[in-house]
Amino acid sequence: MSDSEQMVLKAWKERWEEERWLQSIISNRMDTPSFAESILSLLLVGAAPNPQLIHYLELGLSCGALPVCHFIIAVHKKISAEPLPACNCLILCLSSHICSEVRGTRTGGSPSHTSFLA
């Protein structure tokens, strides 16, 4: 198991607060394509994506700690390799995020999330 998968699992098990999750992504330099792939692989365990992990994904995307392009590439690779119904949920999550960015609004978090990147 990779370091990034271990971090995500630890956050999930311990139910990290939003600030701790974002600080961990940023301080551990997890803004990489492999981190996006790790989150995706853990999201796809089970019959449906875990709500807590979806929340962590939305936080990372909304503040820019997890680049949207890395996650889109990870989803595309996964769908190309093996189409899964759970990927539809993730595509909807990304679509919602992208649409809110185009409109100039962000959903799924408070304005304080952007302060981590300042």
Side-chain angles (χ1 to χ4, degrees), residues 42-83:
L42 293 171
L43 279 167
L44 296 177
V45 172
N50 180 283
Q52 183 71 28
L53 293 179
I54 289 175
H55 182 67
Y56 287 155
L57 169 64
E58 290 172 340
L59 288 171
L61 293 172
S62 70
C63 77
L66 176 62
V68 175
C69 62
H70 292 170
F71 199 73
I72 290 172
I73 291 168
V75 170
H76 176 71
K77 286 164 97 175
K78 189 71 167 175
I79 290 173
S80 297
E82 52 181 305

Side-chain angles (χ1 to χ4, degrees), residues 103-118:
R103 287 190 304 266
T105 61
R106 291 180 184 239
T107 58
S110 67
S112 65
H113 296 145
T114 57
S115 65
F116 287 103
L117 299 178

